[in-house]
């Protein structure tokens, strides 16, 4: 009787992992297709470019405003400005404005030194009630800008020499709306390697890229605040950062506002032109993701629980089963869990390739999902306690 029960249980688990492998295979096929749909900004011959109508004369970019909010960015701002100033612009007039958002580390002085007279420095006003810091800084930058296109950059972004020309070409082809993309992420600490590449993973695995620009539904958006290029008229029509002043995940909120205003959002592959290191240690990774995860899924505990259950089932349970079966000598039973594990790793490699991440990062997937789950739980907990979230010396709820 005991042997029959054990055999039945073994068959059930075998069937379970077969189903899991099938789900992951479908996920892999979708990820491969989805990654191929991402248009490359500044693409050369033979590369996939964004499909838009040829630019009209009125869509020609006359002046580009590069806008950089900076709060305690003394370690980053010189490198950012150096890369921006080194960019070619094809004769288009470019203004560069940095807003020193009440920095206490000498950021303003660093901007003045690094800019060499080619960069305008603004001193940020006091944060009004009801506003979050970055949105307030970006609103002030937009207010001071005179360009017909606005390019918002984070201070930790680094541009390749052709990045601004690629952005200008994309802007002229688009004519209006918003263009964004995920910079190639530079990682150093182990938690950076585990967690940061999962930004692209969620896009490639779950968001149909063609629907970002092809659908007016604001649910189908993705954006990265490190690189947001938007036509001035589109920015004004959607209400700009004023309309999203209290949104914790400001980049996604702005993209949704653009769509609600009837404008187009285009998600592009910018990894060959733009890179950044968002965080420099495990503490920054933890605090940054803790601030954004729960807000990013609409503060829904049910959705958060469902996503974590799905991720743990698909990407953590198979390697745990392989380890258990191998240690207990049940090598035959480990075959289907191993198939699920390898398929999951292939899914991760697909997203890592899209984000220009090292090949070996894909084998870190189980550990990455465990870390993400822990941060997500902390993000949920932060939303329900008085502690809230702290970022760059400011506390948010």
């Amino acid at each position: 009787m005991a042997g029959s029960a054990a055999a039945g249980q073994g068959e059930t688990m075998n069937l379970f992992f077969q189903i899991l492998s099938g789900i992951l295979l479908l996920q892999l096929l979708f990820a491969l297709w989805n990654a191929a749909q991402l248009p490359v900004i500044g693409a050369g011959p033979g590369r996939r470019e964004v499909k838009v109508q040829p630019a009209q004369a009125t869509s020609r970019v006359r002046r580009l405003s590069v806008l950089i909010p900076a709060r305690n960015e003394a370690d980053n701002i010189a490198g950012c400005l150096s890369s921006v100033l080194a960019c070619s612009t094809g004769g288009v007039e470019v203004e560069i404005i940095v807003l020193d958002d009440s920095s206490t580390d000498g950021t303003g002085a660093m901007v003045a030194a690094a800019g060499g007279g080619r960069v305008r420095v603004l001193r940020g006003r006091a944060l009004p009630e009801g506003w979050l810091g970055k949105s307030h800084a970006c609103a002030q930058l937009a207010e001071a800008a005179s360009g017909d296109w606005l390019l918002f950059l984070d201070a930790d972004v680094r541009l390749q020499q052709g990045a601004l020309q690629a952005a200008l070409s994309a802007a002229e082809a688009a004519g209006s709306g918003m263009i964004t993309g995920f910079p190639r992420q530079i990682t150093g600490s182990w938690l950076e390697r585990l967690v940061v590449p999962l930004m692209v993973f969620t896009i490639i695995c779950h968001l149909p890229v063609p629907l970002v620009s092809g659908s007016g539904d604001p649910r189908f958006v993705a954006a990265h605040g490190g690189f947001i290029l938007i036509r001035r008229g589109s920015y004004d029509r959607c209400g700009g950062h004023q309309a999203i002043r209290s949104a914790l995940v400001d980049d996604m909120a702005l993209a949704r506002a653009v769509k609600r205003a009837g404008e187009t959002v285009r998600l592009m592959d910018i990894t060959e032109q733009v890179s950044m290191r968002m965080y420099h240690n495990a503490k920054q990774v933890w605090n940054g993701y803790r601030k954004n995860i729960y807000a990013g899924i609409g503060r829904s505990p049910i959705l958060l629980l469902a996503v974590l259950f799905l991720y743990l089932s698909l990407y953590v349970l198979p390697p745990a089963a392989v380890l258990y079966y191998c240690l207990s000598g049940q090598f035959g039973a480990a075959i289907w869990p191993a198939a699920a594990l390898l398929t999951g790793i292939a899914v991760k490699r697909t997203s890592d390739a899209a984000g220009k991440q090292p090949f070996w990062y894909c084998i870190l997937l189980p550990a990455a999902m465990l870390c993400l789950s822990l941060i997500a739980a902390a993000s949920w907990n932060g939303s329900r306690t008085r502690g809230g979230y702290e970022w760059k010396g400011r506390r948010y709820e």
Side-chain angles (χ1 to χ4, degrees):
M1 290 290 292
S4 298
Q9 186 179 27
E11 290 178 4
T12 300
M13 292 305 297
N14 200 41
L15 177 61
F16 172 76
F17 282 110
Q18 287 179 22
I19 294 172
L20 215 60
S21 298
I23 294 172
L24 284 164
L25 180 59
L26 293 175
Q27 178 73 88
L28 175 60
L29 293 174
F30 174 79
L32 288 167
W33 170 82
N34 207 31
Q37 307 309 304
L38 199 61
V40 179
I41 197 167
R47 302 294 300 278
R48 177 176 172 80
E49 295 186 86
V50 63
K51 294 181 180 179
V52 295
Q53 296 299 317
Q56 303 297 320
T58 55
S59 69
R60 294 295 179 187
V61 179
R62 297 182 296 275
R63 183 178 175 88
L64 174 67
S65 297
V66 179
L67 309 175
I68 307 171
R71 178 174 170 83
N72 294 332
E73 295 286 2
D75 293 336
N76 283 317
I77 195 64
C80 178
L81 289 176
S82 176
S83 72
V84 173
L85 291 168
C87 284
S88 55
T89 61
V92 174
E93 187 178 357
V94 175
E95 66 172 352
I96 306 169
I97 309 175
V98 177
L99 183 129
D100 180 10
D101 187 14
S102 303
S103 299
T104 58
D105 64 349
T107 293
M110 291 291 295
V111 173
R118 298 171 59 189
V119 177
R120 182 180 169 193
V121 187
L122 301 180
R123 186 174 296 278
R125 299 190 291 267
L127 185 64
E129 185 177 352
W131 281 80
L132 296 189
K134 186 175 180 181
S135 291
H136 187 234
C138 289
Q140 293 174 79
L141 285 163
E143 181 183 313
S146 59
D148 48 327
W149 280 83
L150 313 177
L151 175 59
F152 293 96
L153 297 178
D154 282 351
D156 44 13
V157 159
R158 303 293 182 267
L159 302 183
Q160 295 298 310
Q161 189 172 0
L164 290 186
Q165 271 197 297
L168 290 165
S169 296
E172 291 185 346
S176 65
M178 172 177 160
I179 298 169
T180 186
F182 288 73
R184 180 173 64 87
Q185 297 296 323
I186 309 299
T187 57
S189 68
W190 275 104
L191 199 58
E192 289 175 72
R193 297 184 182 109
L194 289 169
V195 176
V196 172
L198 293 178
M199 286 189 302
V200 176
F201 178 89
T202 58
I203 301 303
I204 296 300
C205 291
H206 304 302
L207 176 67
V209 168
L211 292 183
V212 176
S213 60
S215 166
D217 192 329
R219 291 174 296 180
F220 294 108
V221 293
H224 193 292
F227 185 97
I228 290 180
L229 177 63
I230 184 168
R231 189 174 179 96
R232 181 63 196 233
S234 302
Y235 181 84
D236 291 340
R237 276 189 289 277
C238 77
H241 286 88
Q242 166 79 25
I244 60 157
R245 56 190 178 276
S246 62
L248 199 56
V249 187
D250 54 278
D251 45 13
M252 292 288 287
L254 183 62
R256 292 190 184 102
V258 169
K259 275 201 168 185
R260 290 191 186 101
E263 299 281 345
T264 300
V265 175
R266 294 176 175 85
L267 180 67
M268 303 188 72
D269 178 358
I270 64 172
T271 54
E272 292 185 2
Q273 301 291 346
V274 187
S275 63
M276 71 186 304
R277 185 173 181 184
M278 291 178 62
Y279 309 110
H280 290 264
N281 54 56
K283 182 179 180 181
Q284 290 181 0
V285 175
W286 182 276
N287 289 336
Y289 275 81
R290 179 176 176 268
K291 174 175 71 74
N292 290 333
I293 288 178
Y294 193 55
I297 62 168
R299 296 180 181 268
S300 169
I302 295 176
L303 181 57
L304 178 66
L305 187 62
V307 169
L308 293 182
F309 176 79
L310 179 67
Y311 277 7
L312 292 173
S313 298
L314 290 175
Y315 304 116
V316 177
L317 186 57
V322 169
L323 182 62
Y324 170 77
Y325 286 133
C326 288
L327 290 177
S328 61
Q330 303 177 66
F331 298 107
I335 292 176
W336 280 108
L341 170 62
L342 292 175
T343 310
I345 288 174
V347 172
K348 180 61 159 58
R349 177 54 202 155
T350 302
S351 72
D352 283 348
K356 303 294 188 297
Q357 295 299 308
F359 183 89
W360 63 274
Y361 279 21
C362 62
I363 66 175
L364 303 176
L365 178 60
M369 288 302 175
L370 282 174
C371 290
L372 181 68
S373 299
L374 291 173
I375 299 173
S379 181
W380 167 77
N381 188 59
S383 74
R384 56 185 290 273
T385 63
R386 292 184 178 180
Y389 314 104
E390 183 175 342
W391 186 247
K392 293 194 174 184
R394 287 174 173 151
R395 186 161 292 280
Y396 304 103
E397 297 181 357

